[in-house]
Amino acid sequence: MQNRTPRIPEQPAPNHPEADARFTDELASVLTGARRRALRDGDRQIDTAHLLHSLIETDPAVREAFDGGPQLARVLGYLVQRSIGYGLRWQGSVEDSGAVPVVRDPAADGWSPAALAALDDALYRAASRGEARAAGLDLLAALAADADSRAVEVLARGGVDARWLAGRVTVLTAEESRP
């Protein structure tokens, strides 16, 4: 019997340590999970779909933001299909939603431009509420706000209106930050 699991290259996933300190511990764990997933999938870059997958797996508040179990199950189904090589075909390509110009910053190696834009947007969202560190819901709202990202494509195929989700998350984070 042959092992169908592809051999994983023995190299560390790219790291972005200077940004990790600006995220909650839970969100830093999400970033680590996304790095690991991209490496395991053999993808050249960590993209917004990797971030979405890791967010849903890791953060209960993110799972609660969706409109019930069936919707969340459909999104996870697309993400799992992608990770095992079926469904959405992005492996080996660079995600560039046009959210930011493609810049070759050495600290950004391993991250798609759209993923970096989402991380920056998550930090901005947290700062606009007076928070020093971004959390999972901040990143979910940022992912849903980039209409041309892979994460939004996954959401759409799972039957989730990304604009609705971004608005819902904005309301949830505003409610959480009230004293």
Side-chain angles (χ1 to χ4, degrees), residues 3 6 8-9 25 28 32 36 51 67 70 76 78 81 85 89 92 96 107 109 111 115 124 131 145 147 151 162 172:
N3 184 356
I8 298 171
D25 292 341
T32 299
R36 199 172 32 251
L51 288 170
D67 190 21
L76 273 172
Y78 280 104
Q81 285 179 1
R89 299 278 181 195
D96 181 15
D109 280 348
W111 294 88
Y124 174 80
E131 300 291 332
L172 292 172

PDB file of all heavy atoms in Angstrom, residues 3 6 8-9 25 28 32 36 51 67 70 76 78 81 85 89 92 96 107 109 111 115 124 131 145 147 151 162 172:
ATOM      1  N   ASN A   3       1.639   5.308   0.432  1.00  0.00           N
ATOM      2  CA  ASN A   3       1.189   6.449   1.198  1.00  0.00           C
ATOM      3  C   ASN A   3       0.836   7.565   0.218  1.00  0.00           C
ATOM      4  O   ASN A   3       1.670   8.004  -0.551  1.00  0.00           O
ATOM      5  CB  ASN A   3       2.302   6.886   2.155  1.00  0.00           C
ATOM      6  CG  ASN A   3       1.872   8.012   3.055  1.00  0.00           C
ATOM      7  OD1 ASN A   3       0.765   8.519   2.924  1.00  0.00           O
ATOM      8  ND2 ASN A   3       2.732   8.388   3.969  1.00  0.00           N
ATOM      9  N   PRO A   6       1.547  13.572   0.360  1.00  0.00           N
ATOM     10  CA  PRO A   6       2.765  14.065  -0.283  1.00  0.00           C
ATOM     11  C   PRO A   6       3.840  14.368   0.758  1.00  0.00           C
ATOM     12  O   PRO A   6       3.541  14.722   1.893  1.00  0.00           O
ATOM     13  CB  PRO A   6       2.324  15.357  -0.970  1.00  0.00           C
ATOM     14  CG  PRO A   6       1.072  15.751  -0.288  1.00  0.00           C
ATOM     15  CD  PRO A   6       0.448  14.497   0.260  1.00  0.00           C
ATOM     16  N   ILE A   8       6.365  16.367   2.716  1.00  0.00           N
ATOM     17  CA  ILE A   8       6.418  17.769   3.099  1.00  0.00           C
ATOM     18  C   ILE A   8       7.882  18.186   3.157  1.00  0.00           C
ATOM     19  O   ILE A   8       8.689  17.549   3.828  1.00  0.00           O
ATOM     20  CB  ILE A   8       5.751  17.992   4.471  1.00  0.00           C
ATOM     21  CG1 ILE A   8       4.283  17.595   4.390  1.00  0.00           C
ATOM     22  CG2 ILE A   8       5.908  19.437   4.913  1.00  0.00           C
ATOM     23  CD1 ILE A   8       3.578  17.572   5.714  1.00  0.00           C
ATOM     24  N   PRO A   9       8.251  19.253   2.467  1.00  0.00           N
ATOM     25  CA  PRO A   9       9.639  19.700   2.524  1.00  0.00           C
ATOM     26  C   PRO A   9      10.025  20.041   3.956  1.00  0.00           C
ATOM     27  O   PRO A   9       9.237  20.600   4.709  1.00  0.00           O
ATOM     28  CB  PRO A   9       9.669  20.958   1.660  1.00  0.00           C
ATOM     29  CG  PRO A   9       8.339  21.082   1.039  1.00  0.00           C
ATOM     30  CD  PRO A   9       7.409  20.103   1.679  1.00  0.00           C
ATOM     31  N   ASP A  25      -2.566  36.646  21.535  1.00  0.00           N
ATOM     32  CA  ASP A  25      -1.952  35.314  21.516  1.00  0.00           C
ATOM     33  C   ASP A  25      -2.750  34.360  20.640  1.00  0.00           C
ATOM     34  O   ASP A  25      -2.181  33.547  19.912  1.00  0.00           O
ATOM     35  CB  ASP A  25      -1.840  34.748  22.935  1.00  0.00           C
ATOM     36  CG  ASP A  25      -0.846  35.513  23.794  1.00  0.00           C
ATOM     37  OD1 ASP A  25       0.011  36.231  23.220  1.00  0.00           O
ATOM     38  OD2 ASP A  25      -0.923  35.400  25.028  1.00  0.00           O
ATOM     39  N   ALA A  28      -2.016  35.183  17.033  1.00  0.00           N
ATOM     40  CA  ALA A  28      -0.657  34.721  16.701  1.00  0.00           C
ATOM     41  C   ALA A  28      -0.677  33.220  16.440  1.00  0.00           C
ATOM     42  O   ALA A  28       0.004  32.724  15.536  1.00  0.00           O
ATOM     43  CB  ALA A  28       0.314  35.076  17.819  1.00  0.00           C
ATOM     44  N   THR A  32       0.412  31.168  12.984  1.00  0.00           N
ATOM     45  CA  THR A  32       1.265  29.976  12.979  1.00  0.00           C
ATOM     46  C   THR A  32       0.570  28.829  12.261  1.00  0.00           C
ATOM     47  O   THR A  32       1.181  28.122  11.459  1.00  0.00           O
ATOM     48  CB  THR A  32       1.624  29.573  14.423  1.00  0.00           C
ATOM     49  OG1 THR A  32       2.336  30.656  15.028  1.00  0.00           O
ATOM     50  CG2 THR A  32       2.464  28.319  14.463  1.00  0.00           C
ATOM     51  N   ARG A  36       1.793  26.879   8.835  1.00  0.00           N
ATOM     52  CA  ARG A  36       1.918  25.420   8.804  1.00  0.00           C
ATOM     53  C   ARG A  36       1.058  24.825   7.682  1.00  0.00           C
ATOM     54  O   ARG A  36       1.491  23.936   6.957  1.00  0.00           O
ATOM     55  CB  ARG A  36       1.518  24.867  10.171  1.00  0.00           C
ATOM     56  CG  ARG A  36       1.984  23.487  10.465  1.00  0.00           C
ATOM     57  CD  ARG A  36       1.744  23.045  11.905  1.00  0.00           C
ATOM     58  NE  ARG A  36       0.581  23.579  12.571  1.00  0.00           N
ATOM     59  CZ  ARG A  36       0.620  24.479  13.561  1.00  0.00           C
ATOM     60  NH1 ARG A  36       1.755  24.954  14.001  1.00  0.00           N
ATOM     61  NH2 ARG A  36      -0.503  24.900  14.117  1.00  0.00           N
ATOM     62  N   LEU A  51      -5.376  31.872   5.961  1.00  0.00           N
ATOM     63  CA  LEU A  51      -5.735  32.617   7.169  1.00  0.00           C
ATOM     64  C   LEU A  51      -7.173  32.322   7.589  1.00  0.00           C
ATOM     65  O   LEU A  51      -7.441  32.089   8.773  1.00  0.00           O
ATOM     66  CB  LEU A  51      -5.552  34.123   6.938  1.00  0.00           C
ATOM     67  CG  LEU A  51      -4.112  34.620   6.858  1.00  0.00           C
ATOM     68  CD1 LEU A  51      -4.069  36.076   6.394  1.00  0.00           C
ATOM     69  CD2 LEU A  51      -3.411  34.474   8.202  1.00  0.00           C
ATOM     70  N   ASP A  67     -23.531  32.587  10.238  1.00  0.00           N
ATOM     71  CA  ASP A  67     -24.967  32.429  10.446  1.00  0.00           C
ATOM     72  C   ASP A  67     -25.332  30.951  10.570  1.00  0.00           C
ATOM     73  O   ASP A  67     -25.961  30.385   9.679  1.00  0.00           O
ATOM     74  CB  ASP A  67     -25.712  33.086   9.285  1.00  0.00           C
ATOM     75  CG  ASP A  67     -27.197  33.178   9.537  1.00  0.00           C
ATOM     76  OD1 ASP A  67     -27.613  33.125  10.708  1.00  0.00           O
ATOM     77  OD2 ASP A  67     -27.946  33.308   8.559  1.00  0.00           O
ATOM     78  N   PRO A  70     -24.730  25.152   9.282  1.00  0.00           N
ATOM     79  CA  PRO A  70     -24.665  24.755   7.872  1.00  0.00           C
ATOM     80  C   PRO A  70     -23.796  25.685   7.030  1.00  0.00           C
ATOM     81  O   PRO A  70     -23.034  25.236   6.181  1.00  0.00           O
ATOM     82  CB  PRO A  70     -26.128  24.790   7.415  1.00  0.00           C
ATOM     83  CG  PRO A  70     -26.916  24.611   8.658  1.00  0.00           C
ATOM     84  CD  PRO A  70     -26.109  25.275   9.747  1.00  0.00           C
ATOM     85  N   LEU A  76     -16.099  25.490   5.504  1.00  0.00           N
ATOM     86  CA  LEU A  76     -15.042  24.542   5.883  1.00  0.00           C
ATOM     87  C   LEU A  76     -14.875  23.450   4.843  1.00  0.00           C
ATOM     88  O   LEU A  76     -13.757  23.000   4.576  1.00  0.00           O
ATOM     89  CB  LEU A  76     -15.343  23.926   7.250  1.00  0.00           C
ATOM     90  CG  LEU A  76     -14.842  24.715   8.446  1.00  0.00           C
ATOM     91  CD1 LEU A  76     -15.356  24.115   9.742  1.00  0.00           C
ATOM     92  CD2 LEU A  76     -13.336  24.814   8.449  1.00  0.00           C
ATOM     93  N   TYR A  78     -15.218  23.713   1.584  1.00  0.00           N
ATOM     94  CA  TYR A  78     -14.375  24.240   0.502  1.00  0.00           C
ATOM     95  C   TYR A  78     -12.922  24.355   0.929  1.00  0.00           C
ATOM     96  O   TYR A  78     -12.009  24.054   0.157  1.00  0.00           O
ATOM     97  CB  TYR A  78     -14.890  25.597   0.017  1.00  0.00           C
ATOM     98  CG  TYR A  78     -16.045  25.465  -0.930  1.00  0.00           C
ATOM     99  CD1 TYR A  78     -17.333  25.716  -0.522  1.00  0.00           C
ATOM    100  CD2 TYR A  78     -15.843  25.050  -2.249  1.00  0.00           C
ATOM    101  CE1 TYR A  78     -18.405  25.570  -1.392  1.00  0.00           C
ATOM    102  CE2 TYR A  78     -16.900  24.908  -3.125  1.00  0.00           C
ATOM    103  CZ  TYR A  78     -18.179  25.168  -2.687  1.00  0.00           C
ATOM    104  OH  TYR A  78     -19.227  25.007  -3.540  1.00  0.00           O
ATOM    105  N   GLN A  81     -11.421  20.835   0.984  1.00  0.00           N
ATOM    106  CA  GLN A  81     -11.187  20.380  -0.390  1.00  0.00           C
ATOM    107  C   GLN A  81      -9.917  21.000  -0.941  1.00  0.00           C
ATOM    108  O   GLN A  81      -9.111  20.328  -1.576  1.00  0.00           O
ATOM    109  CB  GLN A  81     -12.359  20.765  -1.295  1.00  0.00           C
ATOM    110  CG  GLN A  81     -13.577  19.933  -1.114  1.00  0.00           C
ATOM    111  CD  GLN A  81     -14.703  20.399  -2.021  1.00  0.00           C
ATOM    112  OE1 GLN A  81     -14.558  21.337  -2.794  1.00  0.00           O
ATOM    113  NE2 GLN A  81     -15.842  19.725  -1.920  1.00  0.00           N
ATOM    114  N   GLY A  85      -6.280  19.116  -2.143  1.00  0.00           N
ATOM    115  CA  GLY A  85      -5.978  19.146  -3.573  1.00  0.00           C
ATOM    116  C   GLY A  85      -7.169  19.115  -4.501  1.00  0.00           C
ATOM    117  O   GLY A  85      -7.012  19.009  -5.708  1.00  0.00           O
ATOM    118  N   ARG A  89      -8.350  25.666  -7.229  1.00  0.00           N
ATOM    119  CA  ARG A  89      -6.970  25.400  -7.661  1.00  0.00           C
ATOM    120  C   ARG A  89      -6.122  26.665  -7.617  1.00  0.00           C
ATOM    121  O   ARG A  89      -6.121  27.449  -8.551  1.00  0.00           O
ATOM    122  CB  ARG A  89      -6.965  24.846  -9.092  1.00  0.00           C
ATOM    123  CG  ARG A  89      -7.696  23.555  -9.231  1.00  0.00           C
ATOM    124  CD  ARG A  89      -6.775  22.449  -8.797  1.00  0.00           C
ATOM    125  NE  ARG A  89      -7.478  21.185  -8.956  1.00  0.00           N
ATOM    126  CZ  ARG A  89      -7.066  20.081  -8.416  1.00  0.00           C
ATOM    127  NH1 ARG A  89      -5.978  20.048  -7.727  1.00  0.00           N
ATOM    128  NH2 ARG A  89      -7.753  18.984  -8.586  1.00  0.00           N
ATOM    129  N   GLY A  92       0.609  26.927  -5.961  1.00  0.00           N
ATOM    130  CA  GLY A  92       1.712  27.365  -6.799  1.00  0.00           C
ATOM    131  C   GLY A  92       1.560  28.753  -7.371  1.00  0.00           C
ATOM    132  O   GLY A  92       2.460  29.266  -8.008  1.00  0.00           O
ATOM    133  N   ASP A  96      -2.867  37.878  -5.429  1.00  0.00           N
ATOM    134  CA  ASP A  96      -2.733  39.329  -5.460  1.00  0.00           C
ATOM    135  C   ASP A  96      -4.098  39.905  -5.798  1.00  0.00           C
ATOM    136  O   ASP A  96      -4.506  39.939  -6.949  1.00  0.00           O
ATOM    137  CB  ASP A  96      -1.697  39.777  -6.493  1.00  0.00           C
ATOM    138  CG  ASP A  96      -1.525  41.287  -6.522  1.00  0.00           C
ATOM    139  OD1 ASP A  96      -1.987  41.962  -5.574  1.00  0.00           O
ATOM    140  OD2 ASP A  96      -0.952  41.788  -7.491  1.00  0.00           O
ATOM    141  N   ALA A 107      10.837  41.049   4.709  1.00  0.00           N
ATOM    142  CA  ALA A 107      10.077  40.618   5.881  1.00  0.00           C
ATOM    143  C   ALA A 107       8.743  40.010   5.478  1.00  0.00           C
ATOM    144  O   ALA A 107       8.121  39.294   6.248  1.00  0.00           O
ATOM    145  CB  ALA A 107       9.839  41.799   6.821  1.00  0.00           C
ATOM    146  N   ASP A 109       8.307  38.003   2.848  1.00  0.00           N
ATOM    147  CA  ASP A 109       8.462  36.748   2.117  1.00  0.00           C
ATOM    148  C   ASP A 109       7.586  35.668   2.729  1.00  0.00           C
ATOM    149  O   ASP A 109       7.540  35.498   3.939  1.00  0.00           O
ATOM    150  CB  ASP A 109       9.927  36.287   2.130  1.00  0.00           C
ATOM    151  CG  ASP A 109      10.758  37.025   1.106  1.00  0.00           C
ATOM    152  OD1 ASP A 109      10.164  37.704   0.249  1.00  0.00           O
ATOM    153  OD2 ASP A 109      11.989  36.938   1.183  1.00  0.00           O
ATOM    154  N   TRP A 111       4.298  35.576   2.435  1.00  0.00           N
ATOM    155  CA  TRP A 111       2.933  36.063   2.601  1.00  0.00           C
ATOM    156  C   TRP A 111       2.450  36.652   1.282  1.00  0.00           C
ATOM    157  O   TRP A 111       3.161  37.404   0.635  1.00  0.00           O
ATOM    158  CB  TRP A 111       2.881  37.160   3.673  1.00  0.00           C
ATOM    159  CG  TRP A 111       3.198  36.656   5.036  1.00  0.00           C
ATOM    160  CD1 TRP A 111       4.441  36.553   5.588  1.00  0.00           C
ATOM    161  CD2 TRP A 111       2.285  36.162   6.006  1.00  0.00           C
ATOM    162  NE1 TRP A 111       4.342  36.030   6.846  1.00  0.00           N
ATOM    163  CE2 TRP A 111       3.030  35.780   7.130  1.00  0.00           C
ATOM    164  CE3 TRP A 111       0.906  36.008   6.022  1.00  0.00           C
ATOM    165  CZ2 TRP A 111       2.445  35.248   8.270  1.00  0.00           C
ATOM    166  CZ3 TRP A 111       0.321  35.480   7.158  1.00  0.00           C
ATOM    167  CH2 TRP A 111       1.077  35.104   8.268  1.00  0.00           C
ATOM    168  N   ALA A 115      -2.835  38.804   1.865  1.00  0.00           N
ATOM    169  CA  ALA A 115      -2.757  38.393   3.276  1.00  0.00           C
ATOM    170  C   ALA A 115      -2.114  39.494   4.111  1.00  0.00           C
ATOM    171  O   ALA A 115      -2.583  39.803   5.219  1.00  0.00           O
ATOM    172  CB  ALA A 115      -1.990  37.090   3.408  1.00  0.00           C
ATOM    173  N   TYR A 124      -5.406  47.924  11.939  1.00  0.00           N
ATOM    174  CA  TYR A 124      -6.093  49.208  11.848  1.00  0.00           C
ATOM    175  C   TYR A 124      -7.456  49.146  12.550  1.00  0.00           C
ATOM    176  O   TYR A 124      -7.832  50.060  13.284  1.00  0.00           O
ATOM    177  CB  TYR A 124      -6.264  49.622  10.377  1.00  0.00           C
ATOM    178  CG  TYR A 124      -7.092  50.857  10.216  1.00  0.00           C
ATOM    179  CD1 TYR A 124      -6.537  52.118  10.416  1.00  0.00           C
ATOM    180  CD2 TYR A 124      -8.444  50.767   9.880  1.00  0.00           C
ATOM    181  CE1 TYR A 124      -7.308  53.266  10.284  1.00  0.00           C
ATOM    182  CE2 TYR A 124      -9.214  51.899   9.750  1.00  0.00           C
ATOM    183  CZ  TYR A 124      -8.651  53.147   9.959  1.00  0.00           C
ATOM    184  OH  TYR A 124      -9.424  54.271   9.839  1.00  0.00           O
ATOM    185  N   GLU A 131      -7.762  49.441  20.742  1.00  0.00           N
ATOM    186  CA  GLU A 131      -7.087  48.216  21.173  1.00  0.00           C
ATOM    187  C   GLU A 131      -5.654  48.217  20.652  1.00  0.00           C
ATOM    188  O   GLU A 131      -5.400  48.616  19.516  1.00  0.00           O
ATOM    189  CB  GLU A 131      -7.815  46.981  20.621  1.00  0.00           C
ATOM    190  CG  GLU A 131      -9.249  46.844  21.069  1.00  0.00           C
ATOM    191  CD  GLU A 131      -9.372  46.509  22.545  1.00  0.00           C
ATOM    192  OE1 GLU A 131      -8.455  45.875  23.099  1.00  0.00           O
ATOM    193  OE2 GLU A 131     -10.394  46.898  23.145  1.00  0.00           O
ATOM    194  N   ALA A 145     -13.544  41.933   3.847  1.00  0.00           N
ATOM    195  CA  ALA A 145     -13.638  43.245   3.193  1.00  0.00           C
ATOM    196  C   ALA A 145     -12.924  43.302   1.848  1.00  0.00           C
ATOM    197  O   ALA A 145     -13.198  44.200   1.050  1.00  0.00           O
ATOM    198  CB  ALA A 145     -13.074  44.316   4.121  1.00  0.00           C
ATOM    199  N   ALA A 147     -12.825  42.160  -1.527  1.00  0.00           N
ATOM    200  CA  ALA A 147     -13.705  41.440  -2.452  1.00  0.00           C
ATOM    201  C   ALA A 147     -12.965  40.556  -3.456  1.00  0.00           C
ATOM    202  O   ALA A 147     -13.548  39.611  -3.978  1.00  0.00           O
ATOM    203  CB  ALA A 147     -14.580  42.439  -3.207  1.00  0.00           C
ATOM    204  N   ALA A 151     -10.035  34.344   0.177  1.00  0.00           N
ATOM    205  CA  ALA A 151     -10.932  34.094   1.307  1.00  0.00           C
ATOM    206  C   ALA A 151     -12.366  34.449   0.939  1.00  0.00           C
ATOM    207  O   ALA A 151     -13.301  33.701   1.254  1.00  0.00           O
ATOM    208  CB  ALA A 151     -10.480  34.887   2.532  1.00  0.00           C
ATOM    209  N   ALA A 162     -19.891  38.114   1.870  1.00  0.00           N
ATOM    210  CA  ALA A 162     -18.741  38.677   2.584  1.00  0.00           C
ATOM    211  C   ALA A 162     -19.053  40.060   3.156  1.00  0.00           C
ATOM    212  O   ALA A 162     -18.604  40.377   4.265  1.00  0.00           O
ATOM    213  CB  ALA A 162     -17.530  38.739   1.656  1.00  0.00           C
ATOM    214  N   LEU A 172     -20.273  42.975  16.122  1.00  0.00           N
ATOM    215  CA  LEU A 172     -19.823  42.125  17.228  1.00  0.00           C
ATOM    216  C   LEU A 172     -18.628  42.728  17.955  1.00  0.00           C
ATOM    217  O   LEU A 172     -18.582  42.722  19.191  1.00  0.00           O
ATOM    218  CB  LEU A 172     -19.474  40.722  16.737  1.00  0.00           C
ATOM    219  CG  LEU A 172     -20.632  39.857  16.241  1.00  0.00           C
ATOM    220  CD1 LEU A 172     -20.109  38.576  15.607  1.00  0.00           C
ATOM    221  CD2 LEU A 172     -21.577  39.539  17.398  1.00  0.00           C
TER     222      LEU A 172
END
